[in-house]
Amino acid sequence: MPRYARRTPPRPRYVAPSIEKFLGALPVVAEFCRRLDLAGIVDRACPVRDVARLSHGQVIEALVANRLTSPTPLLHVADWARRWAVQEVWGIDPAALNDDRIGRALDAIAPQLDQLVGAVGARAITTFGVDVARLHWDLTSLSLYGAYPDPDDGFPTPRYGHPKDRRPDLKQVQTGLAVSADGGVPVFHRAYNGGAGETAQVIGAMTRLRRLAGQRRFLLVGDSKLVSYANLKAIADAHVSFIAPASKTYVAREVLAAQDRAKAIPVAYVAARDRGKPAGQRGSYRVTEDTMTLQPKRSAGPALHLRRVLVWSSVDADAARRSRTRKLDRARDDLQRLSRGLGGRHYPDADAVSARVHTIAHQRRVAALLRATLGTDPAGKPTLSWWFDQAALAAEQASDGWYALLTNLDPAQADAAEVLTRYKGQEVVERRYGAFKGPLAVAPLFVKTTRRISALITVICLALLVFCLVERQVRRAIAPAERLDGLYAGRPAKPTGRLVFQALSHLRLVPATGHDPPGIPAPAPLQARLLELLRVDPTRPRWAS
């Protein structure tokens, strides 16, 4: 037995409340890490010397637990471990989780991230029976404090870009996530350069996903960044199916405007947000289908023949109308204010008026609709006549609600309505990014090196994996019911990872005193029910596995 396997503390028992430590969801995190063999996978890839107090796998599991139970900036982890029952659950001395030890663990796993991510993802698929027949792919950005002038070779480079958290003053890296349609489980992730284009990341990710899926043929669902000749050619060569929306670059607005909604086929799809609404208030969808050919732009290659499913959404049509009404109203107010100020100190001549009209047109995004005539009256005062082009407005309105999906699915596998239904699962990856920056509280990071940035992103994504597996297991355990009694403010609610972890957060542990072993005050009925559904015994520590 290696020397870092310390003397194990006594096993907890149920007792009456007393002086307590936070226990929360630590037993659940420990049990799911055990099922994933997370520490074992890390330790086999990154072994330590026998004299080490902790293995790298133990440190990584502790960091995953930290993210899931106390999502605050990754500082003073040892203090967190002292307040929480980390020693009783993992058998880890809190003092061992100092900043230097955490840094060494991140440095150790950084060169092995591809191996670790693949092994843990495969373990999640096999152990929890996750169906990867359909995977949803998307990227998000993580902002970083610091300059990082000398990035480590072979690791993502922080750069300025277009961050999703609207912090253009900070550098960023990007994270790609592949999420299963079955339970929204993130089975694969990877970090990318902060300034890398999203279309350039797909081929490498798809190759690794193909390896992860093994002999299974899977469907890759993405956003419009998935669509490029190079990406779709690589997907076809790998015998992978895909669905992705086409941007206006590939399907022009005029093509969408030419569609006849009356001839499109209604789809019996109800969005999750509409399921509690009366039928008349639900969004409706219609589809029609044709084909399109995608040619290489700069290199030789075969033409790609694709199915094009044209979708009309009442929800999107209403949103487009409201958006257009707002921007026209704002442009109208600006132009009327400009007209009242003609000849004043701000707009003394036609050049100043022209500049202001140009600014309004672009700020209010009405350049394609606004028409204006400028002149000067006999007294030298500038004049302005403006109107919105009704023909251009009608052409824009004709495409409201329409968008195009491209796919290589065989029509025998999925008709146009089924293509839309499968694509609509794309919101699952967006929800996972919501958890990424919500319950896991991933704020702008500050890490010393870019190799540690990559390693820390993996720790966060592993925490997200556990978070999602917990949610999936509770939902499967209560099926066919969709709600769990008492989960939200004492009322029934659909189990989410956030609600499950919140409900378990009130568990406490009484530390050992004298000859008395540590004890756990009896859980509340809801907590006991969740532990039963998750098949977790809170009195069984991780080190007793």
Side-chain angles (χ1 to χ4, degrees), residues 130-152:
V130 178
D131 184 358
V132 291
R134 187 168 96 226
L135 295 172
H136 296 265
W137 170 259
D138 199 5
L139 270 77
T140 193
S141 60
L142 291 175
S143 295
L144 304 164
Y145 292 113
Y148 303 99
D150 301 310
D152 299 305

Side-chain angles (χ1 to χ4, degrees), residues 62-396:
L63 292 179
V64 167
N66 173 267
R67 290 293 83 205
L68 288 167
T69 60
S70 185
T72 56
L74 198 61
L75 295 171
H76 310 302
V77 175
D79 292 340
W80 161 80
R82 291 187 188 95
R83 295 191 304 271
W84 287 72
V86 172
Q87 185 165 16
E88 289 78 5
V89 175
W90 268 273
I92 293 175
D93 180 1
L97 292 173
N98 57 69
D99 291 349
D100 288 341
R101 182 64 189 89
I102 291 171
R104 290 198 302 274
L106 295 177
D107 286 338
I109 69 170
Q112 309 296 332
L113 292 180
D114 285 346
Q115 177 184 344
L116 297 178
V117 171
V120 175
R123 178 82 177 195
I125 292 168
T126 56
T127 300
F128 292 88
V130 178
D131 184 358
V132 291
R134 187 168 96 226
L135 295 172
H136 296 265
W137 170 259
D138 199 5
L139 270 77
T140 193
S141 60
L142 291 175
S143 295
L144 304 164
Y145 292 113
Y148 303 99
D150 301 310
D152 299 305
D153 292 338
F155 294 94
T157 301
R159 298 186 187 280
Y160 293 106
H162 302 283
K164 304 292 171 58
D165 61 0
R166 300 181 181 180
R167 289 297 305 269
D169 56 313
L170 300 179
K171 289 186 177 181
Q172 66 175 20
V173 292
Q174 297 183 90
T175 303
L177 208 61
V179 174
S180 67
D182 174 15
V185 179
V187 294
F188 174 82
H189 68 269
R190 188 172 178 82
Y192 298 102
N193 291 342
E198 293 186 24
T199 55
Q201 317 305 332
V202 174
I203 295 176
M206 186 272 299
T207 301
R208 291 176 175 83
L209 289 172
R210 189 74 192 86
R211 191 180 307 128
L212 186 65
Q215 297 302 313
R216 312 172 187 88
R217 184 180 178 95
F218 72 92
L219 169 65
L220 182 62
V221 183
D223 63 9
S224 60
K225 305 299 190 302
L226 188 70
V227 178
S228 72
Y229 178 86
N231 287 346
L232 300 189
K233 173 70 165 53
I235 288 172
D237 291 345
H239 303 289
V240 171
S241 302
F242 82 92
I243 301 173
S247 68
K248 299 299 190 294
T249 302
Y250 295 95
V251 179
R253 185 187 295 273
E254 291 75 18
V255 174
L256 300 176
Q259 303 305 311
D260 185 349
R261 188 194 348 155
K263 295 181 179 179
I265 301 170
V267 179
Y269 170 79
V270 179
R273 64 176 175 270
D274 289 342
R275 287 173 188 165
K277 298 179 181 179
Q281 297 178 17
R282 296 174 180 175
S284 60
Y285 299 85
R286 290 175 172 267
V287 294
T288 184
E289 181 178 351
D290 60 13
T291 60
M292 71 172 286
T293 300
L294 196 60
Q295 300 281 1
K297 292 183 178 180
R298 297 184 180 87
S299 59
L304 300 179
H305 302 287
L306 306 170
R307 293 174 64 193
R308 182 170 65 184
V309 175
L310 297 152
V311 181
W312 180 83
S313 161
S314 65
V315 176
D316 289 0
D318 290 343
R321 278 194 295 272
R322 288 194 300 270
S323 176
R324 184 184 305 105
T325 298
R326 283 195 301 269
K327 71 182 184 182
L328 290 176
D329 287 345
R330 289 169 181 170
R332 186 178 293 109
D333 289 344
D334 290 345
L335 290 163
Q336 289 173 348
R337 192 177 301 111
L338 170 60
S339 297
R340 291 193 296 269
L342 294 175
R345 66 188 183 92
H346 293 295
Y347 310 110
D349 52 40
D351 289 341
V353 174
S354 175
R356 180 56 182 159
V357 170
H358 179 81
T359 299
I360 292 172
H362 286 82
Q363 284 184 343
R364 301 307 186 188
R365 294 175 295 155
V366 294
L369 306 174
L370 179 60
R371 303 291 181 264
T373 301
L374 284 78
T376 305
D377 66 11
K381 179 181 176 180
T383 61
L384 171 65
S385 175
W386 61 267
W387 67 97
F388 294 123
D389 189 325
Q390 294 304 307
L393 187 59
E396 187 175 293

Side-chain angles (χ1 to χ4, degrees), residues 510-526:
V510 180
T513 56
H515 297 291
D516 294 329
I520 301 171
L526 175 60

Side-chain angles (χ1 to χ4, degrees), residues 460-501:
I460 295 167
C461 289
L462 291 174
L464 182 63
L465 172 62
V466 173
F467 181 90
C468 299
L469 288 171
V470 167
E471 176 185 286
R472 176 180 179 270
Q473 181 159 324
V474 173
R475 291 186 176 185
R476 289 168 65 90
I478 66 171
E482 291 189 354
R483 295 175 179 270
L484 187 63
D485 288 342
L487 191 57
Y488 179 72
R491 301 191 299 271
K494 187 173 184 178
T496 64
R498 181 195 291 264
L499 291 177
V500 171
F501 276 83

